[in-house]
Amino acid sequence: MSDLFNVNVTVNGTLYEREVEPRILLSDFLRHDLGLTGTHVGCEHGVCGACTVLFDGNPVRSCLMFAVQTNGHEVTTVEGLGDIDDLHPIQQAFWEAHALQCGFCTPGFLTTLVPFLEENPDPSEEEIRNAISGNLCRCTGYQHIVEAVQLAAEKMRA
Amino acid sequence: MKPPPFEYYAPTTVEEALARLAEHGYDAKPLAGGQSLIPMMNFRLAQPSVLVDLNNIPDLSYIRPNEGGGLSIGAMARHSMVEKDALVAERAPLVHETMPKIATTQIRSRGTFGGSLAHADPSAELVCASVALDGKFKVVSQQRERWIPANEFFLGLFTSALEPEELLVEIQLPPFPKRTGWSLMEIARRPHDFCLIGVAATLTLGKKDQCKKARLVYLSAGDGPMVGQQAAKVLEGQSISPELFEEAAEVASSADIDPSSDIHATAEFRRHLANVLTRRALEEAYKRAIPNI
């Protein structure tokens, strides 16, 4: 085992201090060390998008970062978007538009879409499809997801 | 899969990073954005015993204008930063057009300009664009500093001219020539995925609107960025016409590239796609050269 490193990272507004081996991926750190299992792990090589989180506000693949690299930074996971009594408008729209079936890919879609809709409050269908091209859904196809993003954009503009 | 254990260093200066690389030689790998290295480590295709993380060196992340109209880009400038930069859009339109086509949003948040080049993947857009634009790369070690032209930097499949103790720190792009159009086109099974074939093109027109200079550099078409040398000979000095572009496309796709077959496409199909893309890219570059006249 290699040396342990101290990591101070703010996740969903809470400061965590942990010791990690440098090889621990951010995705595993979130799930195993912090118990935040909303971040899902699919392919572990940057293709599926299920593990997407926000790193200092930007969407990143948490399977392609080491936890040690988050020292002094901010991470937002799906747990940080909203909760069951107070869903984020994008979560609410996914629910209403039936944009998920098994739900495995959903956290990655939601975290990808938060900065996208902040930057593009009124996106075209093409822009939406482009924005989610790094997230794979194997249940349903993308039609309902695109509709949910349009609905979410409406909600967020209102 | 998970990466095997490694020693980790997070220097805050280039000097410190170079000292670590000199100390560990072949055992060490610089970690830039990690969007190619970390997946390779996750699958244990790469098992460096030392990682020198460059993400805490702020001095490597910049985009600056050069005198005469060129650009300098720090090796750790993230793709998302280059993508949104107004100066890049103005001075390096081919790079501006290329950035959104690189991988996905999540990868572009983290991936870096220099990391993509140092990785020397022949299917990487920036590898081919930097050759098409006659970029040059500043490479430093504890002993020396040298500039390597893009067309001498890429030696083969995932192989660059970088020595183990060296670091790519800056990319310089010369002023974009006048009366020049550009295009970057690729065909992939899924948007933003590795392409089956692609081409970065620039076309410079002469005084009589003839083709003065043409650069065609192909992605996923061989063991490195494949330069369309024969096609350039067909084009240069000739009056522009659809027939000329067709001839160039024919020559490029048969003589200039060396694509291989895999489960996604046969070499023959890739040559066909290269032919089609060459024509389209030249047409687009030509249209874009016209308003600059």
Side-chain angles (χ1 to χ4, degrees):
Chain A
M1 194 161 134
S2 49
D3 293 344
L4 294 178
F5 284 76
N6 217 28
V7 172
N8 288 285
V9 56
T10 303
V11 181
N12 303 330
T14 305
L15 180 67
Y16 294 89
E17 189 178 344
R18 293 287 189 278
E19 284 194 326
V20 296
E21 250 194 287
R23 69 182 181 127
I24 298 301
L25 299 170
L26 175 56
S27 46
D28 289 333
F29 175 77
L30 292 168
R31 293 175 57 83
H32 303 166
D33 291 66
L34 304 188
L36 295 169
T37 53
T39 298
H40 292 169
V41 173
C43 70
E44 288 195 328
H45 63 292
V47 171
C48 77
C51 71
T52 303
V53 300
L54 301 178
F55 178 69
D56 292 337
N58 300 309
V60 298
R61 312 270 202 220
S62 61
C63 75
L64 298 189
M65 273 188 77
F66 295 113
V68 65
Q69 296 184 293
T70 63
N71 189 34
H73 293 272
E74 284 188 19
V75 173
T76 305
T77 68
V78 69
E79 288 94 340
L81 301 187
D83 58 45
I84 193 74
D85 301 317
D86 183 23
L87 292 177
H88 187 284
I90 305 177
Q91 291 174 311
Q92 184 69 36
F94 264 59
W95 186 12
E96 289 173 20
H98 193 61
L100 61 147
Q101 198 168 322
C102 86
F104 192 85
C105 68
T106 312
F109 273 94
L110 297 172
T111 44
T112 300
L113 288 164
V114 168
F116 171 69
L117 285 179
E118 279 166 8
E119 276 180 37
N120 307 277
D122 190 14
S124 67
E125 182 182 336
E126 194 188 339
E127 286 168 333
I128 293 169
R129 288 187 181 271
N130 191 40
I132 59 173
S133 67
N135 295 81
L136 300 182
C137 168
R138 296 292 78 183
C139 290
T140 69
Y142 301 92
Q143 191 54 44
H144 287 194
I145 295 175
V146 171
E147 285 166 16
V149 182
Q150 287 165 333
L151 181 61
E154 265 174 51
K155 286 178 188 289
M156 288 168 75
R157 284 198 305 271
Chain B
M1 289 281 285
K2 314 293 175 190
F6 52 84
E7 271 180 63
Y8 175 78
Y9 298 101
T12 54
T13 64
V14 172
E15 291 69 31
E16 209 186 319
L18 293 176
R20 290 298 180 189
L21 292 176
E23 185 185 342
H24 295 282
Y26 277 101
D27 295 331
K29 259 299 206 190
L31 173 64
Q35 304 301 286
S36 301
L37 180 58
I38 298 179
M40 288 169 78
M41 291 176 68
N42 286 353
F43 282 99
R44 305 205 174 189
L45 296 169
Q47 303 199 14
S49 53
V50 176
L51 278 191
V52 180
D53 189 347
L54 307 177
N55 286 280
N56 296 307
I57 307 179
D59 287 355
L60 286 179
S61 180
Y62 56 85
I63 299 168
R64 292 184 195 133
N66 286 340
E67 275 178 42
L71 270 181
S72 290
I73 300 177
M76 287 297 289
R78 310 237 180 238
H79 294 323
S80 53
M81 170 180 170
V82 181
E83 183 178 351
K84 290 171 190 156
D85 190 86
L87 194 69
V88 171
E90 181 196 322
R91 295 195 169 193
L94 177 64
V95 173
H96 179 69
E97 170 163 310
T98 298
M99 299 315 293
K101 297 182 178 176
I102 299 170
T104 60
T105 316
Q106 296 96 333
I107 301 281
R108 293 198 300 277
S109 295
R110 193 77 191 145
T112 65
F113 205 86
S116 177
L117 297 171
H119 186 52
D121 183 339
S123 64
E125 290 85 355
L126 288 179
V127 166
C128 294
S130 68
V131 173
L133 294 173
D134 295 319
K136 57 177 184 171
F137 303 159
K138 184 180 179 184
V139 169
V140 297
S141 69
Q142 277 191 321
Q143 272 73 42
R144 60 174 177 172
E145 171 188 318
R146 57 184 182 135
W147 284 91
I148 307 176
N151 64 357
E152 293 172 20
F153 183 81
F154 304 104
L155 302 181
L157 206 56
F158 302 109
T159 310
S160 75
L162 285 169
E163 297 293 333
E165 73 282 3
E166 285 182 326
L167 206 54
L168 168 61
V169 292
E170 184 179 292
I171 296 87
Q172 268 195 17
L173 299 174
F176 196 67
K178 291 195 168 67
R179 310 189 76 184
T180 299
W182 68 93
S183 179
L184 187 122
M185 289 195 176
E186 48 190 1
I187 290 177
R189 296 292 298 271
R190 290 158 297 274
H192 304 293
D193 206 340
F194 291 104
C195 65
L196 297 176
I197 202 91
V199 63
T202 63
L203 184 70
T204 305
L205 299 179
K207 283 183 183 146
K208 294 175 183 167
D209 292 351
Q210 82 282 19
C211 170
K212 188 176 165 195
K213 192 179 172 199
R215 294 303 299 270
L216 294 161
V217 186
Y218 293 85
L219 300 73
S220 297
D223 283 349
M226 302 299 281
V227 179
Q229 285 170 334
Q230 305 293 327
K233 280 184 196 154
V234 168
L235 290 160
E236 284 169 5
Q238 302 299 313
S239 305
I240 304 294
S241 69
E243 293 74 25
L244 180 70
F245 288 168
E246 268 173 39
E247 192 190 339
E250 193 60 42
V251 169
S253 58
S254 59
D256 282 326
I257 62 173
D258 184 23
S260 49
S261 296
D262 57 27
I263 56 164
H264 305 294
T266 61
E268 190 193 352
F269 182 52
R270 284 195 164 92
R271 285 189 193 276
H272 167 73
L273 295 176
N275 189 321
V276 174
L277 283 191
T278 302
R279 230 177 325 123
R280 289 183 189 166
L282 286 170
E283 281 162 12
E284 183 168 70
Y286 178 57
K287 277 183 202 146
R288 286 170 168 171
I290 295 286
N292 296 336
I293 290 171

